[in-house]
Amino acid sequence: MTVTIRPADKGDTPALAELIEEIERFYGSTEIQPLEERRSQVEEALFGSPPLASALLVEDENGDIIGLAAYSFLWPAAGSSHSLFLKELYVRDTLRRQGVGARLMKELRTIAAARPGCSRVEWMTDRDNPIARGFYRSLGFAEFNGKIVYRVDTDTA
């Protein structure tokens, strides 16, 4: 199957909102936001002023969105440089193990290298996700054990 990797544009908002539901279900969520709420949040995140994130999309030969890499730039990274932070890498099950994820990772590295002052690409995966960990190892990426992730929901402040 032939796929195209390209930046998301505003017209992709409905398809991205649908894909977000698929991603949520993949991670085991049973409480899914209503579609209109997801559409609004996708549009605000990717196309608001200023945008909160960027996304590369994987489009199949029929024009369907079948994967994405959502990322943001974070500052500071090393010294006063910044990093590209990959928040989500997802490829629909029917296209996994066909090199699509590797192509997305290569494209992200190209974006980071082309951005002046960007010193690295960073991402996380769950410790109990051996498939993802194996995927990243297969690309030659070593795990970094130097950080512990903390999280607090904003509604529990």
Side-chain angles (χ1 to χ4, degrees):
M1 174 179 276
T2 304
V3 298
T4 303
I5 295 176
R6 63 172 177 80
D9 63 45
K10 201 168 186 175
D12 296 315
T13 300
L16 278 167
E18 301 260 346
L19 190 63
I20 295 294
E21 178 176 346
E22 183 176 324
I23 292 168
E24 288 294 308
R25 292 192 189 287
F26 175 81
Y27 287 116
S29 182
T30 56
E31 293 184 28
I32 307 296
Q33 295 171 299
L35 180 59
E36 285 306 313
E37 187 176 329
R38 276 181 296 171
R39 282 184 181 169
S40 176
Q41 288 183 343
V42 167
E43 187 169 330
E44 179 64 26
L46 296 179
F47 309 108
S49 181
L52 302 174
S54 297
L56 291 176
L57 303 182
V58 181
E59 186 177 73
D60 70 12
E61 54 212 10
N62 299 319
D64 294 328
I65 304 303
I66 53 158
L68 84 136
Y71 64 95
S72 301
F73 288 94
L74 300 178
W75 178 85
S80 62
S81 70
H82 58 277
S83 65
L84 184 153
F85 183 80
L86 171 62
K87 174 58 178 95
E88 186 67 52
L89 181 77
Y90 182 81
V91 176
R92 193 164 275 160
D93 189 41
T94 56
L95 283 176
R96 290 190 193 133
R97 294 167 197 75
Q98 296 184 34
V100 177
R103 285 181 55 196
L104 280 168
M105 291 301 294
K106 182 178 180 183
E107 184 65 25
L108 289 167
R109 291 174 76 189
T110 299
I111 290 168
R115 186 172 169 120
C118 187
S119 61
R120 58 188 172 202
V121 177
E122 300 176 290
W123 65 96
M124 297 182 286
T125 191
D126 292 328
R127 290 184 197 281
D128 62 352
N129 189 341
I131 293 172
R133 293 172 75 182
F135 165 70
Y136 294 124
R137 275 193 307 275
S138 77
L139 296 177
F141 303 132
E143 292 183 1
F144 178 78
N145 293 319
K147 302 279 183 188
I148 297 172
V149 176
Y150 293 89
R151 179 182 298 154
V152 63
D153 293 335
T154 57
D155 61 356
T156 60

